[in-house]
Amino acid sequence: MSNERLRSALLAQGLSVQELADQIDVNPKTVERWITQGKVPYRRHQYATASLLKVDVTTLWNDARAVDSATDLSKAEIVAVYPHRHMVPTGLWREMYARAERYLDVLVYSGFFLAEDPQFHDLLKAKVQGTAQVRILLGDPDCPAVQQRGIDEGHRVMGSKIRNALVNYRPLFASHPDIGFRLHDTTLYNSLYRSDDEMLVNPHVYGIGAYMAPVFHLRRLPGGGLFETYANSIEQTWGRARQVTDHDITGD
């Protein structure tokens, strides 16, 4: 039986059989057999392929050994768990983002605690002048998802909080246009803070503000699917988000 999931994952990444084979150092005919005959690779090749195609290894192969290993790897991706966001060490946010060389992403509704931090602004300026791609995703202050989140937290000021964050970031719009600012209208289940292969995940819990909800510190490992799941969420949200307008800041 052919492995159509592997074929689809290759197409999704725009890779050929030859390119995959070259990347993971196997014969192209071996890769062809994985696809056309449903042959199951050695585990090291499973993990290398899944990492290259940016999917969980269990998406490509229903191998009980792979399932067990992927579960263990995903657990190993969890560096620390904090019961509340306000219990995360104050310096961790800056330290983590200071290590960014490729990706610096913030996916939130308002993330006001960062927007009001001058040191974070300085860090953004420094990173965008280096090698890192900097992307700040805030909620669209007028969208239904933002309004509902305010209600869920027990207030109706989420839109105002976002506009206040935009006012704080406004000096960066003109002075550092390479810093990406966009607004999204998604129902956000987690606030995500990514620095290369590290991430802080802050789940949204009904009835309480994000600062009272837990935070998971993740570090990406080859073959582990937990980090990649959240990283894909950032990419999808960025892709459908829009540019900031003056109306978003003033509400007029």
Side-chain angles (χ1 to χ4, degrees):
M1 182 180 294
S2 62
N3 189 334
E4 295 303 319
R5 290 173 294 179
L6 176 55
R7 192 194 307 275
S8 297
L10 270 173
L11 291 172
Q13 293 299 322
L15 292 177
S16 67
V17 167
Q18 181 68 58
E19 289 169 330
L20 173 62
D22 290 343
Q23 290 280 352
I24 62 175
D25 196 24
V26 298
N27 191 298
K29 292 183 179 179
T30 299
V31 177
E32 283 284 1
R33 287 193 289 271
W34 297 347
I35 297 173
T36 60
Q37 300 177 29
K39 298 292 186 181
V40 178
Y42 293 120
R43 276 190 285 176
R44 67 178 184 276
H45 292 146
Q46 291 181 24
Y47 296 138
T49 300
S51 179
L52 185 64
L53 299 181
K54 299 181 180 181
V55 296
D56 192 294
V57 66
T58 57
T59 300
L60 302 177
W61 293 283
N62 290 325
D63 183 346
R65 297 173 305 166
V67 171
D68 291 342
S69 293
T71 300
D72 290 339
L73 279 169
S74 292
K75 291 178 182 178
E77 287 185 297
I78 302 174
V79 177
V81 178
Y82 303 95
H84 308 290
R85 195 185 73 194
H86 66 81
M87 297 179 69
V88 176
T90 304
L92 179 57
W93 308 89
R94 297 193 198 105
E95 291 169 7
M96 186 185 77
Y97 279 133
R99 291 190 285 269
E101 296 180 355
R102 293 172 292 119
Y103 303 104
L104 193 162
D105 294 323
V106 176
L107 171 55
V108 293
Y109 276 142
S110 72
F112 193 73
F113 72 101
L114 290 178
E116 66 178 353
D117 181 358
Q119 293 184 55
F120 181 65
H121 288 221
D122 291 341
L123 194 152
L124 295 181
K125 297 174 190 176
K127 289 300 175 180
V128 81
Q129 291 172 353
T131 58
Q133 170 186 259
V134 179
R135 300 182 296 186
I136 310 296
L137 275 158
L138 305 179
D140 181 336
D142 295 319
C143 78
V146 163
Q147 296 172 18
Q148 185 61 51
R149 181 56 193 169
I151 294 171
D152 293 347
E153 287 189 4
H155 59 74
R156 297 176 183 270
V157 298
M158 184 61 75
S160 297
K161 289 174 64 177
I162 294 171
R163 287 195 169 91
N164 288 339
L166 288 169
V167 168
N168 287 350
Y169 284 129
R170 194 172 197 171
L172 297 178
F173 295 170
S175 65
H176 290 77
D178 289 339
I179 300 176
F181 285 96
R182 290 189 186 180
L183 300 180
H184 66 90
D185 61 0
T186 60
T187 300
L188 196 61
Y189 300 104
N190 304 274
S191 294
L192 303 177
Y193 309 85
R194 180 185 183 181
S195 169
D196 290 349
D197 291 337
E198 288 184 82
M199 188 183 303
L200 295 174
V201 178
N202 183 196
H204 292 183
V205 179
Y206 181 83
I208 61 174
Y211 74 98
M212 284 293 295
V215 169
F216 306 99
H217 185 183
L218 306 182
R219 182 170 288 114
R220 183 181 184 181
L221 294 175
L226 194 58
F227 182 97
E228 202 63 48
T229 294
Y230 290 111
N232 288 338
S233 177
I234 295 173
E235 295 303 325
Q236 292 183 45
T237 307
W238 179 261
R240 57 176 289 183
R242 64 174 180 83
Q243 298 296 324
V244 179
T245 67
D246 287 339
H247 167 75
D248 298 315
I249 300 173
T250 64
D252 297 332

